[in-house]
Amino acid sequence: SIYMAKKKSTTNKIRLTVCGLYVAQIFFLTCGFYQFTVEGKGTDFYSCFTGIFYSISSGNVQVAIQAIIVALIPMLGFLIFSFDKKRNIKNIYGVLSSVLAVFLIIGLTEMHLGWGSVLSVIFYFPIVFLSSMGIFSNIVDAKNKATYSNR
């Protein structure tokens, strides 16, 4: 009938799940991303945004650029997955940018990972997995659409 709810495709479920993971990634940027141990004071944690501020104010351009890219990857990922409903560009971005982000986070923190960066690295693995599944799901959806439109 006309009023039946449209069945959500697997591709759409994957897309919405990855959007949620990117929102979590953006939250992790504001958490303890870097860990610094100062003798006599204990351990301090800085967010990614604090790291951007300090690296710019100290004139450390390379670290500033890396930290800005680490911050932009989940923001752009959320926008791309939000607006790209049909094509595979979002999935390719999800795989490539996640791999890049993990290497940048490890290089940026020099293995002095705070809990925000640890969770961020962990959450990039399901993004890669779901984006890879999304590529194949998109292909299956396209084949099904072609099959049913030829009948």
Side-chain angles (χ1 to χ4, degrees):
S1 86
I2 297 172
Y3 299 108
M4 285 183 63
K6 184 181 175 190
K7 182 179 170 279
K8 283 196 175 188
S9 68
T10 305
T11 307
N12 200 34
K13 290 176 188 171
I14 291 172
R15 185 179 67 81
L16 293 174
T17 304
V18 174
C19 278
L21 288 170
Y22 275 125
V23 169
Q25 291 286 16
I26 295 167
F27 171 72
F28 297 146
L29 292 172
T30 65
C31 301
F33 220 72
Y34 309 100
Q35 174 182 326
F36 292 106
T37 305
V38 182
E39 285 187 39
K41 282 187 170 182
T43 304
D44 283 340
F45 292 98
Y46 295 107
S47 73
C48 186
F49 299 113
T50 309
I52 292 170
F53 173 75
Y54 283 139
S55 58
I56 289 173
S57 63
S58 68
N60 196 340
V61 177
Q62 181 183 357
V63 173
I65 290 171
Q66 282 182 325
I68 288 169
I69 292 171
V70 166
L72 282 177
I73 286 174
M75 293 176 198
L76 289 173
F78 176 76
L79 291 174
I80 290 171
F81 272 83
S82 294
F83 294 113
D84 181 13
K85 293 183 178 169
K86 301 284 182 216
R87 299 174 299 170
N88 255 336
I89 292 171
K90 63 183 171 293
N91 296 315
I92 294 167
Y93 175 86
V95 171
L96 296 178
S97 67
S98 296
V99 171
L100 175 68
V102 167
F103 284 115
L104 282 174
I105 289 169
I106 291 171
L108 194 61
T109 58
E110 296 174 349
M111 292 307 289
H112 299 289
L113 299 165
W115 66 274
S117 53
V118 169
L119 288 173
S120 193
V121 167
I122 290 170
F123 271 56
Y124 274 118
F125 289 108
I127 291 175
V128 170
F129 177 70
L130 289 170
S131 295
S132 302
M133 281 180 50
I135 292 171
F136 297 112
S137 177
N138 232 355
I139 293 168
V140 169
D141 280 357
K143 282 186 178 179
N144 286 342
K145 194 174 279 187
T147 303
Y148 289 117
S149 65
N150 288 339
R151 289 183 179 183

